[in-house]
Amino acid sequence: MTESSPQSKHTTEASDAERYTRLLDEARGIHGVSLWQDAWRRLRRNRVAMGSLYYVIAISILAVFVPLLPLQSPLDKDLRNRKDLPPNLAAISLGDRSELRFENNSLQAELNKFEASMAEMRRAIASSAAEQRADLLQRMETAETNNNPLLKLWNNPGPIVQAMLRLRIAVFGDWCIPSIFGTDDLGRDVLSRVCWGARVSLIVGVVATLVSLAIGVSYGAIAGYCGGWIDELMMRFVDIMYSIPFIFVVIFLLTILGAEDTKRWLDEHGVNQLVIFYVVIGAFYWLTMARVVRGQVISLKNEQFVEAARVIGAGRTRIIFRHLIPNVLGIVIVYLTLTIPAVMLFESFLSFLGLGVSPPDVSWGLLVNEGTQVITPIKIYWWLVVFSGMTLAMTLFSLNFLGDGLRDALDPRMKNR
Amino acid sequence: MGGLGGFLLRRACWIVITLWIVYTASFILMRSVPGGPFDSERKLPAEIQKNIEARYKLDQPLINQYFNHLGNILFAGDFGPSFRLTDFTVNEVIKQGFPVSASMGIFAITFAFVLGTLSGIVSAIRRHTAWDVSFMTAATLGIAVPNFVLASLAIVLFVFTIPLFPAAGWGSLRQIILPALCLGAPYAGYIARLTRTGMLEVLGRDYIRTAYAKGLSERRVVTRHALRGALLPVVSYLGPATAGILTGSLVLEQIFALPGLGSHFVEAALQRDYPLALGMVMVYTCLLLFMNTLVDLSYVMLDPRVKIETQ
């Protein structure tokens, strides 16, 4: 606002200076808003999307730290006493089942005993003569795989998971959460299986999406940047792929890769079934990503910053991967959040059909499958379907909402509305 | 309509090329893995196996086998015998399974279309009312819950708790309703959302105001003027929806124990019955391509602004 009333020169000068400092202060207070800050602000206003974001973060943290939680064993079967129990609050303690033959029927005691015997063996090895050492080492290794109680209650835990399990036992002892989700047909705790299933389901979703991301983004960027007949050819190929009912091809592919001889050959080369799974799914989910990225790149490639990069002498590869791809990141993130639930759904689908993750691994699709298999007219074990199904549905639900929210937030057309 | 003929011709070319690529890729995959019809626990004597292989031309180089097999399919429509199902050819399996899957699919997509558009229209017209909110919540739930979860819950609820429907089997109308509803539910949800968005957009247009200004009733404006424009996105979604319904039937046939193509396909995949799996892949690809063409054509009919692309 300018002051219009006539005033003496002196006061005008003073008020001018004051006004300028005020303006300067105001200007200091204003920060440039980057695209990401802007998007974040818009996302925060979207309640559903934020709720979904918190849920997704929570479930991811849960999946990572499952071994730390005081859950029951996801594998330990108890057909005699705990078959198909409905949700209940009966106290349960780890290693309590007498068939396990744990020291004092306690995992903690058994683990201590195991540690003590290992320590003793280690001491024996350290003090033994050189010729006996190889033999003793061998014996220690077999003892480690045969007697380790952790291997009996959990499926093939790696060193990190084992360390986490030990920490959990140190903190919580043998106490674990009662079967509040009930137990399944083999007497295993459903809550624990749902939590461990989260790991597999989420990892499949994320890794397969990353595979598809890598393929789709480079494919689309290359097609868009090169243009001309290369673009034409590459996009024709995508069109053809689009019109293939790919689930059938994927199942066909998994069938063939699952044949015994092929499997053995792949195993020898260090490729297990989960890896095949990631790659095969990733190899079919990149199509939309490629199309979207190509469109963006075409609209970006005549911009001045690309021109500038070319003037400096940057090569094609450098321009595509250093200058164009970072600029399409926004839209890529949106499609990423939408691809993850699609892939997870697909995984649960295949696992449900018995073609995906196979026991003793657990995933949500597998759990729902187990649940549907014991639906009988005589008795309804509803807790087997409801909890795993709901967790799966909730996760897919919130990932979809998050994706939609991100799309609205990152869409430049929505800006300043 | 020369444009239409040209469009169909070009489309036919693409279909043929796509089918050929799918077939060739599947064939190569099928033959690149060890294991044939004679690999079972009881080995045949080598001489007999050799004779049979010669009879079925399995001893020839792969490229000859490829052309033989392709020729059989093209000229005789013959996918050969199944590896695992005793006394069945792939064609017979397809012939038996197809009507089951097709009727379920048609049922599901009709249901999805009718329910989806109706609830979409209602929520668009009665925007921000309890109707709108409840329909859209239901739609979102329908989209998010995977159809096999939905089917399992539906069985628990409608078969065992409140016995409305039989659990499984095939033959009567009552047996088809539950699987078709579960199959169509996610697509009904999606169509409802699409219709609502399309309807809201169209209802804001000038020509709708003109229609109201002429004194037409709301019913007439909606059904005659707005609906056509609002349904365009729905029609273009029908293509992917068909693909999804084909996929979904795979699981639902399994849950409800229907003797359709899907259960045979999963069975073939689990049993490594390659010829049957290959036949199924081809049938499904054909179906999908056919449906996509149909959808594109109906799009042209519905929207006079869309001209058939002449590239």
Side-chain angles (χ1 to χ4, degrees), chain B residues 48-60:
Chain B
I48 294 178
Q49 179 167 345
K50 215 167 160 188
N51 277 336
I52 297 177
E53 280 181 354
R55 170 71 181 75
Y56 289 105
K57 297 180 179 146
L58 287 173
D59 55 343
Q60 292 182 6

Side-chain angles (χ1 to χ4, degrees), chain A residues 150-172:
Chain A
L150 295 180
L151 295 181
K152 285 179 191 158
L153 293 184
W154 283 277
N155 169 35
N156 203 11
I160 300 172
V161 175
Q162 279 205 31
M164 284 164 103
L165 286 172
R166 273 165 218 262
L167 182 61
R168 166 231 189 281
I169 293 165
V171 174
F172 294 104

Side-chain angles (χ1 to χ4, degrees), chain A residues 4 6 29 66 70 79 106 111 129 148 175 194 262 273 283 299 343 345 349 366 369 387 391 393 399 403 409:
Chain A
S4 49
V66 165
L79 286 163
S106 146
L111 193 66
N148 190 344
W175 183 80
V194 168
T262 328
Q273 212 194 346
S299 69
V343 171
L345 181 61
F349 212 76
L366 210 62
N369 185 17
F387 292 117
T391 325
L399 277 166

Side-chain angles (χ1 to χ4, degrees), chain A residues 2 23 37 41 65 73 96-97 108 156-157 183 202 209 211 245 266 281 299 367-368 388 406:
Chain A
T2 51
L23 271 177
Q37 285 169 329
R41 215 185 51 209
F65 294 110
S73 152
D96 198 19
R97 195 163 64 88
Q108 202 171 13
N156 203 11
T183 59
L202 288 177
T209 305
V211 171
L266 286 169
I281 296 181
S299 69
L367 288 175
V368 178
S388 47
L406 277 176

Side-chain angles (χ1 to χ4, degrees), chain A residues 236 240 243-245 247-248 251-253 255-256 258-259 261 345 348-349 352 355 372 375 377 380 385 396-397 401, chain B residues 14 18 21-22 26 29 33-34 140 144 146 148 152 156 160 247 250-251 255 265 269-270 272 274 277 284-285 289 311:
Chain A
R236 277 290 161 218
I240 289 181
S243 54
I244 295 171
I247 183 165
F248 301 99
I251 291 179
F252 190 61
L253 219 61
T255 312
I256 282 172
D261 294 330
L345 181 61
S348 57
F349 212 76
F352 183 84
L355 291 160
T372 49
I375 292 179
I380 303 161
V385 182
L396 296 177
F397 199 64
F401 266 123
Chain B
W14 272 114
T18 312
I21 290 177
V22 173
S26 311
L29 278 170
V33 290
T140 326
F148 55 90
S152 324
V156 170
F160 297 134
T247 317
L250 216 66
V251 159
I255 297 179
F265 182 72
L270 288 172
R272 320 212 177 287
Y274 304 130
Y284 278 115
T285 315
L289 291 172
Q311 290 164 354

Side-chain angles (χ1 to χ4, degrees), chain A residues 116-247:
Chain A
S117 74
M118 291 315 280
E120 196 175 314
M121 270 192 169
R122 238 172 258 127
R123 244 177 286 125
I125 288 171
S127 60
S128 67
E131 56 265 26
Q132 285 176 331
R133 190 160 289 177
D135 184 41
L136 278 173
L137 271 173
Q138 180 90 35
R139 279 205 358 231
M140 186 169 125
E141 243 168 60
T142 33
E144 195 154 17
T145 46
N146 288 340
N147 298 341
N148 190 344
L150 295 180
L151 295 181
K152 285 179 191 158
L153 293 184
W154 283 277
N155 169 35
N156 203 11
I160 300 172
V161 175
Q162 279 205 31
M164 284 164 103
L165 286 172
R166 273 165 218 262
L167 182 61
R168 166 231 189 281
I169 293 165
V171 174
F172 294 104
D174 288 328
W175 183 80
C176 42
I177 300 176
S179 298
I180 48 173
F181 282 9
T183 59
D184 71 1
D185 215 27
L186 297 172
R188 296 171 294 194
D189 178 43
V190 173
L191 172 68
S192 157
R193 283 174 76 72
V194 168
C195 290
W196 282 88
R199 275 168 92 88
V200 173
S201 288
L202 288 177
I203 287 175
V204 169
V206 171
V207 175
T209 305
L210 289 181
V211 171
S212 80
L213 177 82
I215 302 175
V217 171
S218 10
Y219 194 93
I222 289 168
Y225 186 74
C226 293
W229 65 270
I230 299 178
D231 180 33
E232 184 75 11
L233 196 73
M234 287 172 91
M235 282 302 123
R236 277 290 161 218
F237 179 67
V238 170
D239 285 346
I240 289 181
M241 292 280 283
Y242 250 117
S243 54
I244 295 171
F246 69 92
I247 183 165

